[in-house]
Amino acid sequence: MKKTIFIGILFIFCMSLIGCNTASETANASSSGEQNQKSNEESTSEEKETNSENLIYENTKYGFTFSLPKSWLGYKVVTDQWEGRDINQQETVVESGPILTIRHPKWTEENLLQDIPIMVFTHEQWSSLQKEKFVIGTAPILPSLLGQNDNYVFALPARYNFAFPEGYEEVEDILETTPLQPK
């Protein structure tokens, strides 16, 4: 009888542990791909292992994947907005769109590691930017193309690493591998 009660209690304990783990995984999975549209809110991203060396961030809303080294396990994705301003009236915002920032897991307010910002444009916005119908920032340099799919163009902001924060070399190495793959 005592053995049956012990096994029953052990079973209930194990099931409660599995339930807690499943709830945590569900919370993490629900924030993957579909990014929170509120400015500056962080979300845990979905991390998929593709081989022994890389993690894959998948964004289903905009249709791309981004390959990261294993050292980025636990990264966050911060969603914000870029603003395009009238070339003649800098105070007037004429275009805007999302910028998804992949943040290193060791980033803190005290230890600002280099982020990986990804600007998202419609094809029409990208074309207008290339024709200098609006500007982003004060630098006379356009964002760098990372890739595009049927709906969106993905770009790296001009001078994203101008302050050379800690980790900028690692980000440059990541970007040299063509990590963004449109879907």
Side-chain angles (χ1 to χ4, degrees):
M1 179 74 175
K2 288 183 181 181
K3 188 175 184 180
T4 305
I5 292 173
F6 176 75
I7 291 173
I9 291 172
L10 185 60
F11 176 77
I12 291 170
F13 177 74
C14 290
M15 293 307 291
S16 66
L17 286 177
I18 291 170
C20 290
N21 189 34
T22 303
S24 173
E25 289 174 6
T26 302
N28 285 340
S30 69
S31 65
S32 68
E34 302 296 324
Q35 298 304 314
N36 191 330
Q37 290 302 305
K38 292 182 181 175
S39 177
N40 293 324
E41 289 200 15
E42 293 188 17
S43 63
T44 302
S45 52
E46 183 173 330
E47 297 162 342
K48 296 181 178 182
E49 293 188 32
T50 57
N51 60 41
S52 62
E53 298 174 12
N54 293 320
L55 301 169
I56 299 294
Y57 161 61
E58 180 175 13
N59 187 297
T60 55
K61 182 172 186 173
Y62 297 110
F64 70 90
T65 61
F66 198 95
S67 181
L68 295 162
K70 288 258 187 192
S71 62
W72 284 59
L73 183 65
Y75 64 88
K76 304 277 187 213
V77 174
V78 181
T79 302
D80 207 344
Q81 292 284 316
W82 59 261
E83 293 182 339
R85 298 184 179 274
D86 184 288
I87 199 155
N88 297 314
Q89 297 177 331
Q90 289 286 313
E91 65 279 351
T92 306
V93 175
V94 294
E95 293 286 351
S96 66
I99 183 166
L100 309 173
T101 301
I102 302 174
R103 179 152 289 160
H104 195 286
K106 293 182 181 174
W107 185 98
T108 66
E109 291 289 334
E110 297 78 34
N111 186 25
L112 305 175
L113 296 174
Q114 178 66 60
D115 291 328
I116 304 173
I118 303 169
M119 301 175 83
V120 181
F121 297 87
T122 64
H123 286 279
E124 184 178 330
Q125 288 173 326
W126 184 253
S127 177
S128 293
L129 179 63
Q130 300 305 304
K131 294 174 184 171
E132 298 181 356
K133 292 186 177 179
F134 66 92
V135 295
I136 298 173
T138 57
I141 304 167
L142 293 173
S144 303
L145 182 67
L146 290 171
Q148 59 186 320
N149 61 23
D150 291 341
N151 299 312
Y152 300 104
V153 176
F154 310 104
L156 189 65
R159 298 174 32 131
Y160 75 96
N161 65 352
F162 75 96
F164 300 108
E166 183 179 341
Y168 83 91
E169 299 99 336
E170 180 184 22
V171 169
E172 286 181 359
D173 290 343
I174 291 169
L175 293 172
E176 285 179 14
T177 67
T178 316
L180 188 139
Q181 296 300 314
K183 294 180 100 181

